[in-house]
Amino acid sequence: MPAATALPAISVNPSFSQRLAGLEQGQKLRLAVGIVLFVMIGVVGLVMGRQAEWRVLYANLGDKDGGAIVAQLTTLNVPYKYTDGGGAILVPADKVYDTRLKLASMGLPKGTITGFELMDTANRFGMTQFQERLTFQRGLEGELTRTIQALSSVQSARVHLALPNQNGFFREQQKPSASVVVGMNAGRSLDRAQLAGIIHLVSSSVPEMDPKAVSVLDDSGKLLSATPDGELGIGADAQQMQYVQQIEQLYSKRILDILEPVVGRENVRAQVTAELDFSQTESTSELFKPNQTPDAAAIRSQQLLEAGASSGAATATGVPGATTNQPPGPSTAPINGSAQALAAAGAASGALGANGRRESIINYEVDKTVRVVRGSTGMVKRISAAVVLNNQTITDAKGKTATTPLTDAQLAKMTTLVRETIGFNQDRGDSVNVVNAPFTQDKAPVYDLPLWRQPEVQDLARSLAWPLGTLLFGALVLMGAIRPALKVMSQPVQEVKTTRVGGLDAIESDEPDRPLLAAPASAGSLSNEPTASDLALEEARKLTRDNPAAVANIVKSWINGEAPA
């Protein structure tokens, strides 16, 4: 047997292409599919992570403006999309303001409402005076419409102006008038102050327009403003009911404010019913006082006329002479004075003679009272209050709580408080009833939803489904297809020792020396145990499968007769 010569160990270091070529066909296919899928997952994740956030560019646009804006966005290469229903146009968040400025420079959106910009094109040759007036009226209507639509409660508006032609030859000039139709936002309405503001806005924008000449309607055709005869379009009954509700709420709040600190916030309920008088009355009366006492009478003027000889002087008798021609005595009646004094003076002077005459005229002041009474509207006629109090809660020394009804004295005190709060008046028929009754606590049913059915958990799952799914799928591709192939290709390089036997190189493993081959089994042996040669052959096959590149290099060196390095 030729002697075996030991040769230096061969260091096998195959290249990546050699390692890749050494893979089986199925491993190559799995590696290629895994790499492609992994790259696709990475690209999709990058695109989804950098997906732009969409913001509203314009909303509630007309069809004409929407089409013009979409055409310009296509020209500007700006991506866009619509919301559900087409109510708004969305663009990436980082391009909202830039796009708005560019569209504004192009005059978009123009809007369906035009104002005084109509006057920019009005100075054309050949325009008549009527066309100029009509253009000005259209511009004024558009400006008023824009201003009214700026209100938070108004969704849409339409203004119609009636501007008569003023002519100096007309004896009676017609006054301008206006009509406004407003469409409200969902759940919104105009209160009296806002309605008055719209009327004042329109009337102040047109010269010589009376606020009563402005009519305001809502989108359902109901008149909101006052009619020319002064009646409210919305109906006085609605205002009266609103006023009654305000009064009732005010009294209810007063009752709650006075009782809640005593019995607790959730232990009192109060309802108040108020009857108000909205009738308008006006009365005029003229009263004359009856005849007064003499000392209280007021004399306006008096006149006393006496004619004839006084009865106090001696009547001249006999032959006329010096004795009968004597002058009368001094008068005893006062010139000025009351009627009683004059009468007394007249009595003192004596009655006139048979041929005498006395006339007295006295004018007294006559009292006259004119009273005009106008009854105010919204006067309280009667108030009825109903108050329910819960049982009081008492805690004993051991910490146990129990509910007990209120005593009669406590109810009396509560009734007194309520009466004083609402201004109880028995003459007008007010009534107050305070009742004690236990409140029933209705507990809302609690449904124990499983964790996976809770809304917040579902929202979190929806938000994390895409990134987690992408990561999981990428991990499966990496671990199932790419990692096994890389593990095979990255096995360590084995140093193979060769021994020349009769001119041929034999492979020696780096592992410890194996025991010598056993003797051939006897013919009668029935043992199925593998022999040493079978084990060595299996090891050689395993080496060939695990590291085919190294075995191929060794066989190649054998065939070429090259000495190992």
Side-chain angles (χ1 to χ4, degrees):
M1 183 176 180
T5 305
L7 297 177
I10 301 175
S11 178
V12 181
N13 188 14
S15 61
F16 178 77
S17 59
Q18 292 175 348
R19 293 174 182 268
L20 184 61
L23 296 177
E24 297 180 358
Q25 188 68 23
Q27 293 179 344
K28 291 181 180 179
L29 181 60
R30 287 194 298 270
L31 179 62
V33 173
I35 292 175
V36 172
L37 291 177
F38 194 76
V39 172
M40 290 179 61
I41 292 172
V43 172
V44 171
L46 182 62
V47 172
M48 294 300 296
R50 297 183 60 184
Q51 186 177 7
E53 182 182 1
W54 296 92
R55 295 287 182 86
V56 177
L57 179 64
Y58 292 110
N60 300 325
L61 292 175
D63 296 338
K64 185 176 180 180
D65 283 340
I69 290 175
V70 168
Q72 292 297 332
L73 292 178
T74 305
T75 305
L76 297 174
N77 295 326
V78 177
Y80 65 90
K81 67 177 183 179
Y82 303 101
T83 57
D84 296 339
I89 300 177
L90 306 180
V91 297
D94 55 345
K95 296 184 178 181
V96 172
Y97 301 105
D98 187 24
T99 306
R100 286 181 181 175
L101 292 176
K102 291 181 180 179
L103 293 176
S105 63
M106 301 176 185
L108 294 176
K110 294 181 179 179
T112 58
I113 302 174
T114 55
F116 282 130
E117 58 267 18
L118 290 173
M119 304 300 295
D120 297 338
T121 59
N123 298 326
R124 59 178 182 269
F125 182 75
M127 177 175 288
T128 62
Q129 184 179 6
F130 174 76
Q131 292 176 339
E132 290 180 355
R133 290 180 57 254
L134 183 61
T135 303
F136 172 77
Q137 180 176 342
R138 290 178 55 194
L140 183 57
E141 290 176 352
E143 294 295 335
L144 290 174
T145 301
R146 289 176 178 175
T147 305
I148 295 174
Q149 285 184 353
L151 301 178
S152 59
S153 302
V154 179
Q155 182 180 8
S156 61
R158 188 76 182 271
V159 178
H160 300 279
L161 298 178
L163 304 179
N165 186 15
Q166 302 295 338
N167 195 329
F169 295 99
F170 293 160
R171 179 174 299 177
E172 294 181 359
Q173 301 290 342
Q174 295 182 353
K175 298 297 182 179
S177 60
S179 299
V180 182
V181 180
V182 292
M184 310 307 300
N185 291 319
R188 306 294 294 273
S189 62
L190 289 176
D191 56 15
R192 304 302 301 173
Q194 293 174 330
L195 184 59
I198 293 177
I199 295 175
H200 185 73
L201 170 68
V202 177
S203 61
S204 300
S205 301
V206 180
E208 298 183 2
M209 179 177 285
D210 190 359
K212 296 181 180 180
V214 180
S215 301
V216 182
L217 288 80
D218 60 2
D219 49 3
S220 63
K222 183 172 62 176
L223 182 63
L224 302 180
S225 60
T227 56
D229 55 0
E231 295 181 358
L232 294 176
I234 61 174
D237 293 340
Q239 281 191 336
Q240 293 175 5
M241 292 298 297
Q242 183 178 4
Y243 181 70
V244 171
Q245 291 177 359
Q246 292 178 356
I247 294 296
E248 292 176 350
Q249 292 175 1
L250 176 61
Y251 282 116
S252 299
K253 186 177 182 300
R254 288 181 178 179
I255 295 174
L256 295 178
D257 291 342
I258 197 66
L259 294 183
E260 280 182 351
V262 180
V263 298
R265 184 177 182 84
E266 299 296 333
N267 295 326
V268 58
R269 297 291 185 271
Q271 291 292 333
V272 176
T273 302
E275 295 181 9
L276 276 69
D277 184 11
F278 291 98
S279 60
Q280 297 181 358
T281 59
E282 181 176 353
S283 62
T284 303
S285 61
E286 186 174 355
L287 302 178
F288 296 93
K289 292 183 179 180
N291 296 329
Q292 299 177 353
T293 58
D295 55 348
I299 298 176
R300 181 176 60 184
S301 63
Q302 64 180 3
Q303 182 179 2
L304 178 63
L305 179 61
E306 294 183 355
S310 174
S311 61
T315 305
T317 58
V319 178
T323 305
T324 58
N325 290 333
Q326 294 295 325
S331 176
T332 59
I335 298 176
N336 296 324
S338 61
Q340 292 78 7
L342 292 176
S349 60
L352 293 175
N355 57 351
R357 183 173 63 90
R358 185 179 61 186
E359 183 178 354
S360 176
I361 300 175
I362 301 175
N363 296 323
Y364 295 93
E365 291 289 348
V366 178
D367 294 337
K368 180 180 180 181
T369 302
V370 179
R371 179 180 300 172
V372 179
V373 179
R374 292 184 178 89
S376 60
T377 61
M379 295 182 61
V380 178
K381 295 175 59 179
R382 185 173 182 271
I383 295 178
S384 301
V387 182
V388 181
L389 300 175
N390 191 14
N391 291 343
Q392 58 183 348
T393 303
I394 300 176
T395 304
D396 56 7
K398 297 181 179 180
K400 295 182 179 180
T401 59
T403 58
T404 59
L406 297 176
T407 61
D408 295 339
Q410 291 175 333
L411 287 177
K413 293 180 180 179
M414 301 298 177
T415 304
T416 304
L417 287 176
V418 174
R419 288 183 176 181
E420 295 297 330
T421 301
I422 66 174
F424 180 81
N425 188 355
Q426 189 175 2
D427 296 336
R428 65 184 181 186
D430 294 350
S431 63
V432 174
N433 291 323
V434 180
V435 180
N436 175 220
F439 288 4
T440 58
Q441 302 294 335
D442 295 334
K443 296 183 178 179
V446 179
Y447 300 99
D448 294 334
L449 293 177
L451 184 62
W452 60 275
R453 293 190 61 183
Q454 295 180 1
E456 56 273 10
V457 176
Q458 292 181 355
D459 295 340
L460 181 62
R462 292 190 189 98
S463 61
L464 298 179
W466 179 258
L468 291 180
T470 304
L471 292 177
L472 181 60
F473 187 63
L476 291 176
V477 172
L478 181 63
M479 300 298 295
I482 301 177
R483 186 173 180 274
L486 296 178
K487 184 177 181 182
V488 173
M489 295 175 60
S490 63
Q491 287 182 353
V493 180
Q494 298 181 356
E495 293 184 357
V496 181
K497 296 182 180 179
T498 60
T499 304
R500 184 173 295 278
V501 181
L504 296 177
D505 295 334
I507 301 176
E508 290 184 4
S509 175
D510 293 336
E511 296 179 358
D513 294 338
R514 298 183 181 278
L516 297 177
L517 296 177
S522 60
S525 177
L526 298 177
S527 177
N528 294 329
E529 295 181 359
T531 60
S533 59
D534 294 338
L535 294 175
L537 182 59
E538 185 64 27
E539 291 291 336
R541 290 175 180 174
K542 182 178 180 183
L543 178 61
T544 303
R545 288 194 302 268
D546 294 344
N547 201 347
V551 176
N553 290 335
I554 294 174
V555 175
K556 182 179 179 181
S557 62
W558 286 355
I559 296 174
N560 295 334
E562 298 176 356

